[in-house]
Amino acid sequence: MKSYHHIHIIGTSHISPESIAEVTTYILSNKPDIIAIELDKARLKALFSKNKPSFSDIKHLGIKSFFFSILGHYIEKKLGKLVGTSPGDEMKAAISLAKQHKLKLAVIDQPINITLKKLSSQLTWKEKFRFLIDLIKSP
């Protein structure tokens, strides 16, 4: 007998009240077997930590990747204040519901240092500058 698995992907914004509501409604209505979160183990831990990125992170990320990390953190926090949420609240809601309802939780992203190193090494300076300008204009 074949076993079929239903996969439901919810595209979210890390600073959207609508995303929190959608994630919460889906989990409570469907009680999935596994909730997969687009995080790695280190970012999962950081999501619930009160610590901000620090200069000690430079040795793990490299200077360019550290800069992108700080910039992204700053932009997400500013945008989150505009819409009344904190970055990652939709993931926190999913994780909390997984614990509350004893559902399996899977972290399914590569380590952030790999992502940031690829981002900083594969973009040209012109692309990095345009990226920075777009981030500044976005609010």
Side-chain angles (χ1 to χ4, degrees):
M1 176 185 256
K2 287 188 176 183
S3 174
Y4 296 97
H5 299 279
H6 177 77
I7 297 173
H8 185 88
I9 298 173
I10 301 173
T12 64
S13 166
H14 296 312
I15 55 166
S16 164
E18 292 83 9
S19 289
I20 298 166
E22 184 178 3
V23 165
T24 300
T25 299
Y26 183 82
I27 293 171
L28 291 175
S29 299
N30 296 283
K31 301 280 191 321
D33 295 327
I34 299 173
I35 297 173
I37 305 291
E38 189 182 3
L39 290 173
D40 61 31
K41 288 180 183 180
R43 285 188 297 151
L44 174 64
K45 183 179 176 184
L47 185 63
F48 290 95
S49 172
K50 300 290 182 201
N51 298 334
K52 296 178 182 177
S54 69
F55 287 107
S56 65
D57 295 330
I58 291 175
K59 65 182 173 185
H60 301 295
L61 299 174
I63 195 125
K64 287 189 258 177
S65 298
F66 177 74
F67 171 74
F68 275 112
S69 175
I70 293 294
L71 183 63
H73 180 77
Y74 172 79
I75 297 290
E76 275 191 333
K77 192 170 184 175
K78 286 289 184 190
L79 291 173
K81 281 185 180 179
L82 287 174
V83 297
T85 66
S86 295
D89 278 352
E90 87 289 4
M91 290 192 219
K92 287 180 179 179
I95 293 163
S96 175
L97 289 168
K99 288 180 182 179
Q100 188 178 7
H101 296 281
K102 296 179 175 54
L103 305 171
K104 292 180 185 175
L105 182 69
V107 290
I108 59 168
D109 206 354
Q110 68 182 354
I112 190 65
N113 61 330
I114 294 171
T115 304
L116 290 172
K117 283 179 183 177
K118 285 181 179 179
L119 178 65
S120 67
S121 69
Q122 292 177 355
L123 294 177
T124 65
W125 281 105
K126 185 178 178 181
E127 290 169 325
K128 289 175 187 175
F129 181 72
R130 279 197 311 219
F131 178 71
L132 177 62
I133 295 301
D134 288 343
L135 285 174
I136 292 169
K137 287 182 178 179
S138 65

